[in-house]
Amino acid sequence: AAGAPGSAIRVGARELRDLPAAVFLGAAAAAFVLYVLALWLLHRQERRLAAVFAIAAAIQLVPLAGPLLLSRDVYSYWAYGRIAEDHGADAYRVLPAHFPNDPAVRATAPAWRRTASVYGPVFTAASTGLAAVSGDSTETNAYVYRVLAACGMIGLAAVASVAAARRAFALAFVGWNPLLALQFAGGGHNDVWLALFLVGALALAARGRSLLSGASWAVAAGVKWVPLVLLPLSLLASRQTALRIALGFVVAAAVICVGSFAVFGTAWLGAVLPLTHRHSAYALPSRLGQAGLPRSLALLPFLVAVPWLVRSARRGRPRFALATLLMLCASPWLLPWYAAWVVPLAAVEEDALAWSLALALSIYLLPDRIPL
């Protein structure tokens, strides 16, 4: 359906008819129904990890057989990497539009050509290194990011199973999710790396590797800033090991900061600011605005829940998934691949409410960006 003539699911294709998009959405919805049914069966009786993992790997790799789906973000990653590698400039200071003849800039969505990098220094440095070895082919670079994201999703599912009490269920909760497969193997988004290091931090902490857990928190924050909101909950919940986790975080963050200042100067500190002025159609503030209500009401659930989240964390239950979900509800910028922030966190928690809300968020975001 994505590659059919007239389908706008494939990035760069002209929309000539609605049938391919309708088929695509119907197939994705059917896949999600099967996913939820499979989770219900798996919750009732755990299965062998090897079989669950094999199915997860197949689901996460299948979209690689199709075209790049729904988003040009991989070209932005490539463009920011090439700004440093091929043009010797700073991706946090110099806009992609300064290099209009660059193949990555030509492929980047026009709205993002006049925006400096909005990603953390860890990811920007990684994209620079990738640009050094991936050549000038638009298709090759997009596929490289998609393959890496698919492998990251398989790794994320495996790490979630390590961190969880119900290992097979957590593995399936992440690895069998069709929305995540479409957005990462299909779209190549970088949020999988934030999630991988974040869940990796939880897995390391569960195994008594507190210093490494703190370092993993720092690397996750170096991809995007989201983990910095959740880290205090982790420290409150793990009082006996909080000092070691904090020490690991501070040391790793210091190394990242020193390297970032050396390579990017101070501009990387403001990388998140451009997103504060953007609004997406599926974000709760946008929905409230459409209903004629104040957009600021979206902040209310998060603000009301903060004391409860702190109290729960102090009792040893940090409830990362619910905190992240509330943060996304308050954000004016909500995209379908942000489900990767919530789904793996819910998978590792023994929390039926978090499971239900993570699935609800995935269902809500499933039709986003599909042109109908």
Side-chain angles (χ1 to χ4, degrees):
S7 171
I9 300 294
R10 184 178 73 254
V11 167
R14 293 179 58 195
E15 183 179 4
L16 300 178
R17 54 198 181 114
D18 280 341
L19 180 61
V23 172
F24 182 91
L25 180 57
F32 208 94
V33 169
L34 293 174
Y35 162 63
V36 173
L37 176 61
L39 288 179
W40 180 73
L41 294 172
L42 198 59
H43 185 262
R44 296 183 64 189
Q45 182 177 359
E46 287 273 300
R47 302 291 178 177
R48 292 179 59 187
L49 274 175
V52 176
F53 180 82
I55 296 170
I59 289 171
Q60 295 302 323
L61 293 173
V62 159
L64 293 174
L68 178 65
L69 303 176
L70 300 173
S71 167
R72 295 176 177 266
D73 276 11
V74 291
Y75 299 133
S76 294
Y77 308 157
W78 183 29
Y80 294 136
R82 283 178 63 88
I83 287 174
E85 177 60 29
D86 292 80
H87 303 292
D90 185 343
Y92 292 109
R93 296 180 184 275
V94 179
L95 305 181
H98 280 81
F99 309 102
N101 295 322
D102 188 286
V105 176
R106 290 199 300 267
T108 298
W112 289 98
R113 293 174 190 172
R114 305 200 67 83
T115 302
S117 178
V118 296
Y119 306 111
V122 169
F123 181 77
T124 301
S127 63
T128 301
L130 197 57
V133 298
S134 56
D136 295 334
S137 169
T138 301
E139 291 185 4
T140 298
N141 277 275
Y143 203 71
V144 166
Y145 275 104
R146 292 172 60 200
V147 169
L148 290 174
C151 293
M153 274 304 309
I154 294 171
L156 175 59
V159 171
S161 74
V162 171
R166 295 173 178 264
R167 298 190 63 187
F169 178 78
L171 180 59
F173 199 90
V174 178
W176 293 5
N177 187 304
L179 173 66
L180 300 184
L182 292 171
Q183 297 302 330
F184 292 100
H189 296 283
N190 63 2
D191 299 82
V192 64
W193 305 111
L194 177 155
L196 180 60
F197 284 103
L198 179 53
V199 177
L202 304 183
L204 288 165
R207 276 155 178 71
R209 309 299 293 273
S210 303
L211 288 173
L212 289 177
S213 175
S216 192
W217 276 99
V219 175
V223 177
K224 287 187 176 181
W225 312 111
V226 178
L228 295 179
V229 179
L230 302 177
L231 180 58
L233 296 178
S234 177
L235 297 178
L236 285 172
S238 51
R239 295 183 185 180
Q240 294 181 343
T241 58
L243 185 59
R244 290 176 62 82
I245 292 174
L247 179 61
F249 174 81
V250 168
V251 171
V255 172
I256 292 170
C257 288
V258 169
S260 301
F261 283 124
V263 176
F264 303 117
T266 59
W268 63 276
L269 292 171
V272 74
L273 294 179
L275 296 185
T276 60
H277 303 294
R278 293 182 177 271
H279 296 85
S280 61
Y282 271 62
L284 180 57
S286 297
R287 298 298 194 193
L288 291 172
Q290 293 167 6
L293 299 172
R295 294 175 182 266
S296 57
L297 284 178
L299 283 168
L300 190 59
F302 181 76
L303 296 176
V304 169
V306 166
W308 172 69
L309 292 170
V310 170
R311 185 168 60 251
S312 180
R314 294 181 67 178
R315 293 174 178 173
R317 192 177 185 188
R319 307 189 79 122
F320 295 120
L322 291 179
T324 305
L325 185 67
L326 289 168
M327 184 169 53
L328 286 176
C329 288
S331 172
W333 189 244
L334 176 63
L335 300 169
W337 44 93
Y338 289 1
W341 300 6
V342 176
V343 170
L345 291 173
V348 304
E349 297 176 350
E350 284 291 318
D351 188 342
L353 177 60
W355 297 340
S356 300
L357 292 177
L359 294 177
L361 177 68
S362 296
I363 293 170
Y364 173 69
L365 294 175
L366 194 65
D368 189 12
R369 296 295 178 107
I370 296 177
L372 281 172

